[in-house]
Amino acid sequence: MAPVGISSVRKSFGALEVVHGVSIDIKDGEFVVLVGPSGCGKSTLLRMVAGLEDVTSGEIKIGEKVINNLLPRDRDVAMVFQSYALYPLKNVRENMAFGLRMRRTAKEVVEERVASASKTLGLKEYLERFPKELSGGQRQRVAMGRAIVRAPQVFLFDEPLSNLDARLRAQMRVEISLRHERLRTTSIYVTHDQVEAMTMADRIAVMRDGIVEQFGTPTELYDQPANAFVASFIGSPPINMMKGSLQRTAEEAWVDLGAGVRLPVPQGGNGETGMPVTYGVRPENIVIGGPHALEARVTLVEMMGPNYQVLATSGEHQLCLTVDRSNRVAAGDLISLGFDLKSVHLFDQKTGVRI
């Protein structure tokens, strides 16, 4: 195990720069997730740590060693790919042992590590099976086992669950998290799925267009998003965003949405009167009734197990709220919506930065 330091790392393909001076410090034993939309640079950054892409500029360290110019085999990392990348003509035992055998590891060490990893991953009874005889989840566990037997300093995961169905993804999220708690090996995990990021990570780096928008714990990103992009990307259902202008008097502050609609905000804070802002409030922080009400017409009610997810329209704004099933609402109802002011976020419309 070792910390990973990524300092001012850039990556260019010819004249096109796709990673723009990223800096992330990952602690020893930490599980860090790189998350963001397709094309944001997260997989490219992971591949630079693995040695599968060259670093244009900047520095990557594992422990105290700079690894920029080391071959992948000399970096002491193990990577789990999206496609499993198993050898179809080798059984589970041989797939897991292959990397160690190529390194001329002693036979007894290979057998011990394969036995230990297969027990940890629940693969002991499948060791003689071939990949075609396994389910998708079992194949992914074999790919993880092949990485675990290496006993590397760093695990790298490149969207390993994207080929699985929803139920298997949920199961594998739990399994990966449990294995990390047991092994405590430094891990970097790439995904575009913010649910995976929020449920698995110690800390998350939210990326967009080759930069890190925010790096912090899941709670920090959810409760204190640095900008409108992070607020919109993190959270399901997504945060409600409404554009207006900030207004202040000595006694109160509010956002004017136009057409006579005013949404109150906590007094104090930054932002000048007349400043164009975006008013953000998460679905669970909206209640039916209560103070600071806004009238809206229900357009859709979706059953979500213990709760309803309600879509409602107020003027040109569509809002999503999560309500308890004890609230009897139906499409067409006129309702009043109240907001938890402690959970309201304001963002500068020009820069997107939280104010």
Side-chain angles (χ1 to χ4, degrees):
M1 298 185 291
V4 177
I6 300 172
S7 303
S8 303
V9 166
R10 297 179 180 272
K11 175 62 181 178
S12 299
F13 295 97
L16 178 65
E17 187 172 81
V18 296
V19 176
H20 311 288
V22 168
S23 295
I24 303 173
D25 286 320
I26 300 171
K27 301 173 185 177
D28 187 6
E30 192 172 27
F31 196 109
V32 166
V33 175
L34 309 180
V35 68
S38 297
C40 70
K42 57 189 184 295
S43 288
T44 300
L45 185 61
L46 187 79
R47 290 171 64 84
M48 285 191 283
V49 176
L52 303 178
E53 296 284 358
D54 293 330
V55 176
T56 301
S57 66
E59 184 178 86
I60 300 176
K61 297 172 69 175
I62 294 180
E64 297 300 318
K65 182 186 295 185
V66 177
I67 63 168
N68 288 39
N69 298 317
L70 293 182
L71 293 172
R73 69 187 182 205
D74 298 326
R75 298 189 178 205
D76 202 7
V77 301
M79 191 162 181
V80 179
F81 295 91
Q82 176 181 346
S83 62
Y84 315 143
L86 302 180
Y87 298 102
L89 300 182
K90 297 182 183 294
N91 63 22
V92 170
R93 184 191 305 277
E94 292 166 341
N95 263 284
M96 292 174 66
F98 184 75
L100 293 178
R101 296 195 195 283
M102 290 297 292
R103 291 169 174 260
R104 303 185 184 279
T105 305
K107 182 179 179 180
E108 59 273 15
V109 174
V110 174
E111 291 176 352
E112 178 185 349
R113 290 189 183 179
V114 169
S116 176
S118 62
K119 182 179 179 181
T120 297
L121 294 167
L123 292 170
K124 193 172 181 179
E125 60 189 271
Y126 303 105
L127 288 174
E128 305 308 321
R129 292 192 187 183
F130 290 86
K132 66 180 180 181
E133 300 172 304
L134 304 174
S135 69
Q138 289 165 344
R139 292 177 193 177
Q140 192 57 273
R141 277 186 277 166
V142 175
M144 289 175 56
R146 185 173 53 192
I148 288 172
V149 298
R150 291 269 309 278
Q153 291 194 87
V154 181
F155 283 130
L156 306 175
F157 297 88
D158 189 10
E159 301 199 48
L161 308 185
S162 59
N163 289 335
L164 305 181
D165 61 36
R167 182 177 178 181
L168 272 177
R169 282 202 302 272
Q171 178 184 336
M172 289 304 297
R173 284 202 307 266
V174 173
E175 290 197 16
I176 291 173
S177 297
L178 289 174
R179 305 314 164 211
H180 177 72
E181 286 299 317
R182 180 173 177 177
L183 299 171
R184 298 309 302 178
T185 302
T186 307
S187 300
I188 308 175
Y189 186 105
V190 162
T191 182
H192 64 274
D193 185 339
Q194 59 96 15
V195 175
E196 288 181 21
M198 293 292 285
T199 55
M200 299 172 70
D202 293 321
R203 287 192 293 169
I204 302 170
V206 181
M207 295 187 66
R208 178 174 62 161
D209 297 334
I211 66 171
V212 174
E213 295 283 358
Q214 188 172 357
F215 185 41
T217 66
T219 300
E220 290 170 346
L221 268 58
Y222 194 81
D223 293 339
Q224 300 172 352
N227 53 44
F229 174 78
V230 174
S232 298
F233 195 85
I234 298 296
S236 180
I239 192 171
N240 298 286
M241 296 288 207
M242 294 168 281
K243 293 184 178 180
S245 63
L246 180 62
Q247 304 295 327
R248 293 185 183 278
T249 67
E251 294 78 26
E252 59 179 339
W254 69 93
V255 171
D256 187 348
L257 298 183
V261 179
R262 304 191 342 173
L263 297 180
V265 296
Q267 186 63 284
N270 300 319
E272 299 177 352
T273 297
M275 177 181 183
V277 297
T278 301
Y279 187 100
V281 58
R282 296 197 181 277
E284 67 272 19
N285 298 132
I286 303 176
V287 297
I288 296 177
H292 319 301
L294 172 71
E295 283 197 346
R297 181 77 62 180
V298 175
T299 56
L300 182 66
V301 179
E302 295 180 309
M303 168 69 170
M304 304 294 288
N307 302 313
Y308 289 132
Q309 185 172 303
V310 178
L311 294 181
T313 302
S314 178
E316 63 180 19
H317 303 288
Q318 179 171 279
L319 297 99
C320 176
L321 58 150
T322 303
V323 300
D324 188 86
R325 287 169 58 185
S326 61
N327 288 280
R328 299 297 182 181
V329 293
D333 288 353
L334 185 64
I335 58 176
S336 60
L337 303 179
F339 304 98
D340 178 3
L341 297 189
K342 294 180 294 184
S343 302
V344 166
H345 305 281
L346 290 183
F347 305 97
D348 185 332
Q349 272 191 40
K350 296 179 181 178
T351 65
V353 174
R354 184 168 177 261
I355 60 175

